[in-house]
Amino acid sequence: MDYDALPQLQEEGLARIAAAADLAELHDAEADLVGRSSVLADLQKRLGTLAPQERPGAGQRLNSTRRALTEALSERRRALEQAARAAELEADRLDLTEIPYRPRRGHLHLVTQTQERLEDLFVGMGYTVAEGPEAETDWHNFQALNLPVAHPARSSQDTLYLEWGEPETVLLRTQTSPVQIRVMQAQPPPIYSVMPGRVYRKDTPDARHNPTFSQIEGLVVDRGITFGDLAGTIDTFTRAYFGPDISSRLRPAYFPFTEPSAEFEVTCVLCRGAGCRTCSSTGWIELGGCGMVHPNVLATCGIDPEEWSGFAFGFGIDRQAQMRHAIADMRVLLDNDIRFVGQF
Ligand code: DAH
């Protein structure tokens, strides 16, 4: 090989360096191009055999090729090292979007879900939603609802009184009906409202009772409202909530704040009316009370019973959830056992 071949050697060398796919290939290229047994080293050794006047020129050309090759080698090495490092990092990367542990998402309690579904249903029928306090006065909870002090029907609602003011003047509301009073006092008719909320009774917990549960109350006051409107509203709501094959019926009952009063029953949702243990083989389940708002109650709230009439109804929300999901024991609704509440 002779010094005239240096440009070609350089060109081929640079091409090989550029083509080295990894550090190992580059290492081999380096040995072949500038290593101890390379052509370049051989030419270097032969410099001494040249005629003295040729040596400087040949030496310069040799050096320039060597420099070009070593620069290209170190540049390529840097690029390959960087790529190797990036590949290493990529392989070591922790994908934090795939953590095996995911915290479980919470959701509303079954009773709250049931309450919201009932609210939605009535809102869809044009009702507003109203709320009242859970610590209520005896006047709102009983007297204004046509239950004067010493009225025998009071004893049916085992009241928890609070030590506040005069004895037995403030209590934990036993029903949502006092919110009717608050709504009627707050606004003139026409009124179309539902009033959901928690109520309290001095009850020992058992499979069918909790000392606290939720009710939803309905109140309509307008001109010319009749018992037919009440029956139609209950039936519309029943079918919308439980399904078209579930109907309702009214049976005479007594409530001091309505006259006439009724209990409303719906087709047993468990046996679809065929008769089962839950409905005592009647095919019907009692859901709540209702009736035409008593004229005394309207008058107490400053509404003229000659001009306006209305109906009201009230029923337990927990009981609805119990029926819908065939819950054997009501106490699980208050236990907050995640195995139960997580099912809904
Ligand atoms: N407040 C009654 C109860 O807790 C239920 C009820 C009956 C509400 C008749 C009403 C009604 O609005 O008209 O047992």
Side-chain angles (χ1 to χ4, degrees):
M1 182 114 200
D2 134 319
Y3 296 89
D4 292 337
L6 276 173
Q8 198 195 335
L9 184 86
Q10 178 172 333
E11 199 183 308
E12 284 172 8
L14 291 176
R16 181 157 172 208
I17 291 166
D22 54 34
L23 288 167
E25 273 184 41
L26 190 68
H27 185 77
D28 291 346
E30 183 172 28
D32 291 349
L33 296 170
V34 297
R36 245 182 290 148
S37 43
S38 63
V39 177
L40 217 57
D42 190 42
L43 290 174
Q44 180 88 37
K45 272 180 232 148
R46 280 165 44 198
L47 265 183
T49 66
L50 294 181
Q53 68 274 25
E54 285 179 2
R55 275 184 220 159
Q60 257 169 33
R61 291 165 72 191
L62 203 60
N63 280 341
S64 123
T65 297
R66 178 182 290 280
R67 204 177 311 119
L69 291 175
T70 42
E71 267 170 22
L73 279 165
S74 60
E75 208 168 290
R76 183 76 189 135
R77 179 172 299 108
R78 215 176 310 124
L80 286 174
E81 276 171 356
Q82 239 169 46
R85 177 91 187 113
E88 218 170 88
L89 284 177
E90 181 64 28
D92 282 355
R93 203 174 105 190
L94 279 182
D95 186 351
L96 295 178
T97 61
E98 290 294 333
I99 319 173
Y101 168 75
R102 272 172 205 275
R104 275 205 281 168
R105 233 172 124 172
H107 60 70
L108 295 175
H109 189 276
L110 172 62
V111 172
T112 314
Q113 287 180 34
T114 308
Q115 176 178 323
E116 293 195 344
R117 291 187 49 205
L118 290 164
E119 285 174 17
D120 284 352
L121 219 135
F122 281 105
V123 166
M125 289 164 71
Y127 287 60
T128 60
V129 179
E131 282 181 322
E134 292 178 13
E136 186 55 283
T137 66
D138 181 273
W139 187 81
H140 287 90
N141 195 80
F142 289 129
Q143 292 172 51
L145 287 164
N146 214 21
L147 272 121
V149 179
H151 191 286
R154 280 184 173 221
S155 59
S156 70
Q157 305 207 340
D158 307 280
T159 310
L160 289 157
Y161 284 96
L162 296 173
E163 285 186 7
W164 192 274
E166 293 293 304
E168 306 207 342
T169 53
V170 181
L171 44 79
L172 289 176
R173 66 180 177 195
T174 60
Q175 50 186 355
T176 43
S177 302
V179 193
Q180 287 186 31
I181 303 298
R182 292 185 176 274
V183 168
M184 284 189 277
Q185 286 187 320
Q187 69 169 98
I191 294 168
Y192 291 81
S193 287
V194 284
M195 294 140 266
R198 192 173 261 231
V199 303
Y200 300 84
R201 294 190 189 174
K202 210 191 304 168
D203 249 340
T204 307
D206 65 28
R208 286 176 53 78
H209 300 91
N210 276 320
T212 173
F213 55 98
S214 295
Q215 287 188 333
I216 187 161
E217 192 83 13
L219 175 69
V220 167
V221 182
D222 205 341
R223 289 191 177 87
I225 296 293
T226 68
F227 201 88
D229 296 315
L230 167 59
T233 302
I234 299 255
D235 207 54
T236 305
F237 143 73
T238 304
R239 287 171 196 277
Y241 184 75
F242 290 109
D245 58 329
I246 301 290
S247 56
S248 65
R249 68 177 187 183
L250 301 179
R251 309 208 314 163
Y254 170 76
F255 295 100
F257 35 91
T258 44
E259 181 59 33
S261 301
E263 260 162 16
F264 64 94
E265 301 184 333
V266 298
T267 317
C268 176
V269 292
L270 295 180
C271 63
R272 296 292 190 202
C276 67
R277 254 181 51 205
T278 303
C279 62
S280 310
S281 306
T282 61
W284 294 93
I285 294 223
E286 190 205 316
L287 205 63
C290 60
M292 301 305 290
V293 181
H294 197 290
N296 289 355
V297 175
L298 292 175
T300 298
C301 298
I303 294 171
D304 182 0
E306 298 293 327
E307 187 182 352
W308 304 95
S309 60
F311 65 75
F313 57 85
F315 54 87
I317 295 175
D318 306 51
R319 197 47 67 74
Q320 297 255 5
Q322 181 187 28
M323 274 166 55
R324 213 187 155 92
H325 299 284
I327 296 165
D329 192 321
M330 292 286 267
R331 285 170 288 196
V332 292
L333 293 176
L334 292 183
D335 284 346
N336 282 340
D337 184 331
I338 199 76
R339 290 168 300 178
F340 171 77
V341 294
Q343 288 178 54
F344 303 97

